[in-house]
Amino acid sequence: MAPPIEFEICRRTLLVGTAVSAAAAAAGLTGPANAQTARNGLPVGPQRMSVSLKINGAQRTLELDNRTTLLDALRETMQLTGTKKGCDHGQCGACTLTVNGRRVNSCLSLAVMHEGDEVTTIEGIGTPGDLDPMQAAFVEHDGFQCGYCTPGQICSAKAVIEEIRAGIPSHVTGDLTVPIKVTDEEIRERMSGNICRCGAYSNILAAITQVAEERS
Ligand code: FES
Ligand code: FES
C-alpha cells in the first residue's frame, strides 16, 4: 500500500534530514547550540516557542516546547482528543487532519511549523446533531467497528474528494486530460495511508464512493 504523495515526500525529506544530521555529528560539525553546551558544560534546551494558528475556525496562540508535535499539541494542550495517536511515526494514518486543506499526518509535524496555518480536525467536521455528509455515509455503511481509525479516515476521505475534484493525480490516475474516474482502485490508492485494524475497508470504500458520486 503506497502512501499519498505528500506523505511520502515528508517521510523522505525527514529521512534525508536525519541522515545529514547524523553525518554532521559523526564528522564533528557541531552547531552553535552544541558549542554553547561545550562552553557551559550543560545541555541546551528544550526551548519554548509561541505559535499562533487557527484550529477549527478559532484563533489560538500556544506556548509550546518546540519539539511538540501538532498531534500532541492538539491532544495534550488543547484537549482536542478526536485526532488519534496510533503508531506515532507516520505509518497508520490515525492522526490525519488537514492543514490549509491538505492531508497531514500530525504525528510527523511539529506544531511550531504551523504559524498562521488553518488546521481542521474531526471536531471541526459536523456535529452529532448535524453530521457532515462523509460522517453520515460512514454511519450508513457501517464504516467503522472500534472507531479508533475513524477520525483519520473521515478527515482523509473528505480531502480525497477534494483532491479528485481538483484533478490532483494519484499513482493509479491515467490520462490527466480527462476527469479522474472515481473507481474503487482510485479510492483505495488514495486512502492507502489510513490503516483500519478492524478491517472495515469495504464499508469505508462504500461510504466514500457514495459521497464522491453525490458530489460529482
Ligand atoms: S499516529 Fe500518526 S501515522 Fe500513526
Ligand atoms: S474501526 Fe477499528 S481500527 Fe478501524
Side-chain angles (χ1 to χ4, degrees):
M1 289 187 291
I5 293 169
E6 62 268 32
F7 295 171
E8 194 172 286
I9 292 169
C10 289
R11 286 175 193 161
R12 188 175 299 128
T13 305
L14 184 68
L15 288 171
V16 169
T18 303
V20 169
S21 299
L29 303 175
T30 52
N34 285 341
Q36 191 179 341
T37 304
R39 271 201 306 276
N40 299 340
L42 294 171
V44 174
Q47 298 186 354
R48 296 185 72 79
M49 287 180 66
S50 174
V51 59
S52 294
L53 64 175
K54 205 177 259 188
I55 312 282
N56 298 327
Q59 195 67 42
R60 299 289 302 263
T61 299
L62 306 170
E63 289 286 330
L64 296 167
D65 180 322
N66 56 11
R67 301 166 300 178
T68 308
T69 63
L70 182 57
L71 175 61
D72 285 342
L74 291 166
R75 290 182 57 84
E76 310 296 335
T77 306
M78 289 179 276
Q79 284 72 53
L80 290 172
T81 54
T83 306
K84 302 303 183 197
K85 182 182 283 189
C87 63
D88 205 21
H89 50 266
Q91 294 185 340
C92 72
C95 64
T96 306
L97 43 70
T98 57
V99 176
N100 302 331
R102 293 191 63 188
R103 292 186 280 171
V104 167
N105 281 346
S106 58
C107 71
L108 291 185
S109 192
L110 295 176
V112 295
M113 293 165 59
H114 292 287
E115 178 68 32
D117 284 347
E118 290 198 22
V119 176
T120 303
T121 70
I122 193 68
E123 288 93 344
I125 300 172
T127 63
D130 183 21
L131 294 178
D132 179 89
M134 189 63 76
Q135 291 171 317
F138 267 63
V139 172
E140 183 181 340
H141 291 277
D142 268 341
F144 51 89
Q145 290 180 36
C146 77
Y148 199 79
C149 72
T150 311
Q153 299 276 6
I154 288 175
C155 288
S156 202
K158 284 178 62 63
V160 162
I161 303 289
E162 296 308 319
E163 288 164 16
I164 291 174
R165 287 166 62 85
I168 297 172
S170 72
H171 294 307
V172 297
T173 306
D175 182 359
L176 288 179
T177 61
V178 298
I180 298 168
K181 288 197 184 75
V182 183
T183 61
D184 287 1
E185 185 186 15
E186 185 71 51
I187 293 175
R188 284 185 193 279
E189 168 62 23
R190 288 176 188 268
M191 291 295 295
S192 60
N194 290 82
I195 308 302
C196 175
R197 289 169 180 79
C198 298
Y201 294 112
S202 57
N203 297 5
I204 291 169
L205 178 62
I208 299 172
T209 301
Q210 175 176 302
V211 177
E213 288 175 348
E214 284 171 359
R215 298 209 50 190
S216 62

